[in-house]
Amino acid sequence: MKHAGNIPPADAVPTRDAERHNAIDRAFHATIGSLTGGLSPMGLATAWFDWGVHLAGSPAKQAELQERAVANGARALQSAVSCPLSPAGEGCAEMEADKRFRDEEWQRYPFNMLAQWFLLTEDWWHAATTGVQGIAPRHAQMTNFLARQALDMMAPSNYALTNPVVLDRTQQEQGANLVRGFRNWLEDFANYAENAPPDTGDFKVGENVAITPGEVVYRNRLIELIRYRPTTKEVKAEPLLIVPAWIMKYYILDLSAHNSMVRFLVDQGIEVYMISWLNPGEEDSELSMEDYVRLGIFEALDTIGKAVPDQKIHAAGYCLGGTLLSIAAAAMAREKDDRLASLTLLAAQVDFTEAGEITLFTDDSQVAFLEDIMAEQGYLKSDQMAGAFQMLRSNDLIWSRTIRDYLLGERGGMNDLMAWNADATRMPATMHSEYLRKLFLENRLALGQYKVGGRLVSVEDIETPLFAVGTEKDHVAPWKSVWKITRFADGSNTFLLTSGGHNAGIVSEPGHPRRHYRIGEVPGHALAAETWKGAHAPIEGSWWPAWAEWLTAHSTGTRAATEKPALPSLGAAPGTYVFG
């Protein structure tokens, strides 16, 4: 086939030219990503276009929205009259259910009317972005979510002139609150511009958090393995390996003395080993999921096996660490490796078909966008991950903080969990790309299509006794998604549902107020999550003792505790990788 002029056929473009073009795209996407918090504007635009064209082709839906607009307009006019006369009347009472407008100052005119109009606008946009025929379900969820985010930004509570609480404070302090707020903003902006270390207040790793005594007994390029010193004369025969997520520093499970899960377990006579992951840099961009399985879990198990030979090992994984542990357990089951005495998954998923609203930001467009960003950097920065997670709870994590810090001029008190949350980590490019594509997008683990060592693994091969924990308000790993492990694992399954969210529900120490949980065995793979929940009454208190009892029941006795580890110490806990 001939080509006009000197233009070569498409497949004859030199590789170096293609690479140059890809480099331009990567640089362009990385620049955009620095402005959008790592979110892909192309994916968002596609969702809005899909919604717009289908709404344009749905006259019945348009008529419905017109009717709702007229009805809401009438209610708005009614509230303009009724709210000044009767602030607590039926026309204004709805806003009391929204925590943004619960302060009694919002009952005054015209602020009660502004709040009412805003809620009616939210109602209309919710109707506009739901029930549109023909739109892709994912795009429908995304447009509804994005509409909520845009409206949250425009809420009258976010602005000084329309927030009566702020106006009253400004009058009382003669504007001093706004001066403090401006200083707070300048301080935050300077820290962001200078890429300053996170502000963790008075909480310092190794000083008042991550202080349970122990030693690093193994180190490779990816992990440090910490063995904690026993506090009892005897320990359970089987030690416990904890695999935290590499998206977070491990010490969420070893915070202050009063809420350290590690300290609690050690005091129950359980010998605990903890993986502390390396915080990767550009030189670690090629680390893969396979590396995390082998250099992380398998080498940790091998090390513990040298310290306590001929003993099985309990293993627990939190969040992504639980997903990784499930992959490792499936690979061990495939190889008939029976070293695991039990398997505990804390807010961890193996099936990602219903992984919550975070999946709205995990499509082909978003993943390709992130891959270009990571190709430029070698890793994904913590702030590029934070954008999507903050949007999931924008009222709690963004706007309430904006009002408190910048309008009221207050700095919220820091606690150990908040300090840990500020101490974020990075994600190596290869591993994160594989995680997003193979697990989130393609759901290979649940479909039995995931490979370890070049061969398929299946979660259904796991026959080890299983203890799975979900949290009621989890926005990262919804409990019904966590529940799905009970449909796969073929051993004895126990499920526990606790109050709280993804982090606070797990860090739920004895004595913590307003905590409850449900626990029970799962009798069959076909049991629905809600059916199980309805059959188990809530129990007041922390779930930690119930888990410790379960571990004890799946242990084979006790052995004498040793103060010194059987392996040489490479340094005191918390080690060195946690400071990266």
Side-chain angles (χ1 to χ4, degrees):
M1 179 178 178
K2 295 183 179 181
H3 296 268
N6 295 321
I7 301 175
D11 58 0
V13 175
T15 301
R16 61 186 179 184
D17 286 347
E19 283 298 316
R20 186 162 59 247
H21 295 159
N22 290 338
I24 293 172
D25 285 349
R26 285 197 299 268
F28 179 65
H29 292 162
T31 301
I32 295 176
S34 66
L35 302 174
T36 63
L39 301 178
S40 168
M42 291 76 79
L44 304 182
T46 301
W48 279 113
F49 180 79
D50 191 10
W51 170 78
V53 295
H54 281 93
L55 180 60
S58 304
K61 182 66 174 178
Q62 294 176 38
E64 174 194 330
L65 293 177
Q66 290 171 2
E67 292 175 1
R68 184 176 289 267
V70 171
N72 283 359
R75 291 175 63 189
L77 289 174
Q78 181 183 5
S79 68
V81 176
S82 62
C83 285
L85 298 176
S86 179
E90 183 178 350
C92 300
E94 293 178 5
M95 66 186 187
E96 295 180 6
D98 193 309
K99 61 183 179 182
R100 292 171 291 188
F101 310 121
R102 284 179 185 169
D103 292 313
E104 62 180 15
E105 289 87 345
W106 283 100
Q107 294 296 334
R108 301 201 313 257
Y109 178 84
F111 306 106
N112 48 11
M113 187 177 66
L114 286 175
Q116 181 75 356
W117 286 359
F118 173 75
L119 293 173
L120 290 171
T121 303
E122 276 193 329
D123 173 77
W124 188 88
W125 273 103
H126 176 74
T129 54
T130 55
V132 179
Q133 296 296 319
I135 185 175
R138 179 186 184 80
H139 289 162
Q141 294 173 344
M142 188 177 293
T143 52
N144 179 264
F145 178 83
L146 293 172
R148 295 202 314 269
Q149 302 309 307
L151 288 167
D152 286 345
M153 181 174 62
M154 295 185 290
S157 55
N158 297 337
Y159 303 94
L161 293 178
T162 54
N163 187 324
V165 178
V166 175
L167 288 174
D168 287 358
R169 180 71 62 85
T170 303
Q171 184 178 21
Q172 292 167 6
E173 299 190 19
Q174 298 182 337
N177 57 306
L178 297 180
V179 174
R180 292 195 307 272
F182 184 61
R183 289 174 181 167
N184 291 342
W185 181 85
L186 287 176
E187 180 182 337
D188 291 345
F189 181 79
N191 290 337
Y192 176 80
E194 297 171 6
N195 197 24
D199 178 17
T200 58
D202 296 328
F203 295 95
K204 306 298 180 186
V205 175
E207 296 180 14
N208 51 8
V209 291
I211 56 172
T212 303
E215 287 78 31
V216 175
V217 295
Y218 178 75
R219 180 185 294 120
N220 61 28
R221 65 165 298 194
L222 185 57
I223 71 165
E224 288 182 330
L225 184 65
I226 301 170
R227 185 256 190 186
Y228 292 94
R229 299 174 197 164
T231 59
T232 56
K233 294 182 179 180
E234 291 188 334
V235 294
K236 305 297 183 290
E238 290 81 4
L240 170 67
L241 169 65
I242 300 180
V243 184
W246 53 91
I247 197 175
M248 57 178 70
K249 298 288 180 72
Y250 84 87
Y251 67 90
I252 185 175
L253 302 177
D254 185 26
L255 287 172
S256 305
H258 72 281
N259 61 356
S260 167
M261 178 183 286
V262 169
R263 185 181 292 270
F264 170 82
L265 292 169
V266 169
D267 288 344
Q268 304 305 305
I270 298 172
E271 185 178 18
V272 177
Y273 290 79
M274 174 78 76
I275 288 177
S276 175
W277 299 102
L278 173 78
N279 196 6
E282 185 177 357
E283 67 279 6
D284 304 303
S285 63
E286 298 302 318
L287 285 171
S288 66
M289 286 286 290
E290 182 98 6
D291 291 323
Y292 273 74
V293 172
R294 296 196 176 280
L295 296 177
I297 295 176
F298 287 166
E299 292 203 8
L301 290 173
D302 290 343
T303 302
I304 297 172
K306 295 175 183 176
V308 282
D310 303 321
Q311 291 288 355
K312 289 192 174 185
I313 302 167
H314 296 298
Y318 180 23
C319 187
L320 302 188
T323 303
L324 191 75
L325 181 59
S326 300
I327 294 172
M332 294 172 72
R334 181 194 65 192
E335 302 299 329
K336 310 300 182 186
D337 183 341
D338 63 352
R339 284 180 291 171
L340 295 183
S342 72
L343 185 66
T344 297
L345 302 181
L346 309 176
Q349 303 170 91
V350 297
D351 185 328
F352 291 84
T353 53
E354 296 178 287
E357 286 187 323
I358 191 63
T359 58
L360 298 179
F361 304 100
T362 314
D363 57 12
D364 288 294
S365 174
Q366 177 65 44
V367 172
F369 188 74
L370 287 177
E371 286 173 339
D372 283 345
I373 294 174
M374 292 188 295
E376 283 288 297
Q377 302 169 172
Y379 55 85
L380 191 66
K381 296 179 182 178
S382 59
D383 59 344
Q384 291 168 327
M385 290 183 286
F389 286 104
Q390 287 183 336
M391 287 179 70
L392 296 179
R393 297 174 56 205
S394 60
N395 283 331
D396 294 330
L397 300 180
I398 300 176
W399 302 118
S400 63
R401 181 177 179 269
T402 298
I403 296 167
R404 182 192 69 221
D405 287 10
Y406 306 145
L407 299 184
L408 297 177
E410 300 172 352
R411 280 296 196 190
M414 181 74 69
N415 60 37
D416 51 10
L417 190 58
M418 293 168 63
W420 163 84
N421 192 55
D423 192 8
T425 58
R426 299 176 291 271
M427 304 276 265
T430 299
M431 182 284 303
H432 196 46
S433 176
E434 291 177 348
Y435 174 75
L436 292 176
R437 286 198 175 277
K438 294 181 180 179
L439 296 179
F440 260 95
L441 285 185
E442 299 169 6
N443 205 27
R444 291 191 189 183
L445 184 58
L447 297 175
Q449 299 172 357
Y450 194 90
K451 291 183 178 181
V452 175
R455 296 170 56 205
L456 295 174
V457 298
S458 174
V459 182
E460 295 179 359
D461 291 339
I462 299 175
E463 297 182 352
T464 306
L466 172 73
F467 190 95
V469 178
T471 64
E472 292 176 346
K473 298 180 180 179
D474 201 324
H475 65 287
V476 177
W479 79 267
K480 290 182 182 178
S481 183
V482 174
W483 164 268
K484 290 186 176 183
I485 183 62
T486 64
R487 298 184 178 180
F488 292 96
D490 217 18
S492 169
N493 297 331
T494 299
F495 192 80
L496 185 146
L497 178 62
T498 182
S499 56
H502 187 71
N503 296 325
I506 298 300
V507 183
S508 182
E509 72 281 0
H512 195 296
R514 299 180 299 279
R515 284 288 185 256
H516 64 262
Y517 65 93
R518 305 166 195 263
I519 185 173
E521 293 186 0
V522 183
H525 295 319
L527 187 65
E530 284 292 348
T531 301
W532 178 92
K533 180 181 179 182
H536 295 84
I539 302 170
E540 295 300 319
S542 167
W543 62 270
W544 289 5
W547 180 37
E549 290 176 10
W550 186 88
L551 288 172
T552 299
H554 289 81
S555 299
T556 57
T558 60
R559 54 186 169 84
T562 56
E563 180 71 17
K564 284 190 174 183
L567 300 168
S569 173
L570 303 181
T576 59
Y577 284 2
V578 72
F579 296 103

